Amino acid sequence: MPSVAERVEKRIARRPGRVFTFADFADLPASAVAPALSRLTRSGKIRRARKGVYYAPKDTVLGEVPIDPIEIGRAANGVPTHLAGLSAASALGLTTQVPARAELAVEGRRTTGATGVVTKPRFGTRRAGLEPAEAALLEVLRSIVSLSELSPEETVERLANVLRRPESMRRVLHAAVAEPPRVRAMVGALAEHLGAAGPELKRLRSTLNPTSRYRFGPLAALPTARHWGAR
């Protein structure tokens, strides 16, 4: 019968590119799993992202495939994570810059760091069910003034593309209610620019102080920006 170390190594080898935690070996004695993972780490067969979180590198003819930072963030924190900051802007095509460490938003708890990842806590959001691009949109809008390398018109077009499908529009309008006021205002301006006029948009507008003014950055180019408090 194979030893615990052999079973751990075989299980990891079957799933290259995957993030592993001790929960993936819950059927094996923990006292034997820990030293097996330590030996595999020392041999270079797996990498340690943080205590209790490992990943198996996947090699191709072009070299090693970088591990998905979202997977590391989810494994390290045990809750949903989304791209944030420059990572989110890059994913949406707003910049060609790639951060030295991936930036992730972590939902609903204080964050736990991991190798190659910067985490930012997000409390009280309504992002459950959002697709990656939709969550990235909300994150980018928090710092849109500094994140886009494109012209204002191109920036508007890139972000508007995320909302063009009716289901995406519905999900983002629902989630935006729990975002900071400036993000709410920019989502509203984008949605109205694309023709949205339903109850979700009216509800979003009702959450904003009609006398408040917000810095929209490149989104000030939206024809609807002034209707939503752009200064």
Side-chain angles (χ1 to χ4, degrees):
M1 182 177 180
S3 67
V4 170
E6 290 170 332
R7 292 165 70 184
V8 168
E9 183 170 0
K10 185 176 181 180
R11 193 172 297 182
I12 288 174
R14 285 200 303 263
R15 306 180 76 175
R18 165 78 191 277
V19 174
F20 290 88
T21 68
F22 285 102
D24 291 289
F25 309 100
D27 57 316
L28 301 175
S31 59
V33 170
L37 291 172
S38 293
R39 283 194 295 271
L40 289 170
T41 302
R42 288 195 299 270
S43 70
K45 292 182 178 179
I46 62 174
R47 308 281 173 79
R48 182 178 181 272
R50 65 171 298 273
K51 185 177 180 180
V53 180
Y54 302 83
Y55 63 95
K58 183 176 181 179
D59 292 316
T60 69
V61 293
L62 299 177
E64 184 178 311
V65 178
I67 195 67
D68 184 350
I70 292 181
E71 290 299 319
I72 291 180
R74 183 180 295 119
N77 292 279
V79 293
T81 62
H82 313 290
L83 292 177
L86 201 57
S87 294
S90 178
L92 295 179
L94 298 176
T95 179
T96 57
Q97 296 183 65
V98 178
R101 293 196 292 169
E103 298 177 61
L104 297 178
V106 178
E107 300 294 318
R109 59 165 290 176
R110 294 294 176 190
T111 60
T112 300
T115 301
V117 174
V118 175
T119 54
K120 302 175 180 181
R122 299 287 184 250
F123 296 100
T125 69
R126 300 177 62 177
R127 297 179 183 180
L130 291 185
E131 294 187 354
E134 295 161 3
L137 168 71
L138 294 177
E139 282 295 321
V140 161
L141 291 179
R142 287 173 175 249
S143 304
I144 189 61
V145 172
S146 61
L147 286 178
S148 180
E149 294 177 345
L150 305 180
S151 69
E153 293 74 20
E154 290 171 320
T155 299
V156 165
E157 185 63 18
R158 291 275 185 176
L159 296 179
N161 280 339
V162 178
L163 300 177
R164 291 196 188 280
R165 292 183 302 152
E167 57 269 30
S168 293
M169 178 74 77
R170 176 183 54 77
R171 285 192 294 262
V172 172
L173 285 174
H174 174 79
V177 171
E179 298 295 322
R182 188 163 65 94
V183 174
R184 282 181 251 156
M186 286 187 283
V187 168
L190 280 166
E192 188 173 73
H193 173 63
L194 291 171
E200 287 280 10
L201 186 65
K202 292 179 181 178
R203 183 184 179 196
L204 185 63
R205 185 185 286 279
S206 72
T207 68
L208 295 170
N209 184 331
T211 64
S212 294
R213 293 294 176 263
Y214 310 100
R215 190 179 178 195
F216 272 37
L219 267 64
L222 281 164
T224 53
R226 288 295 181 93
H227 302 166
W228 289 84
R231 64 185 186 192

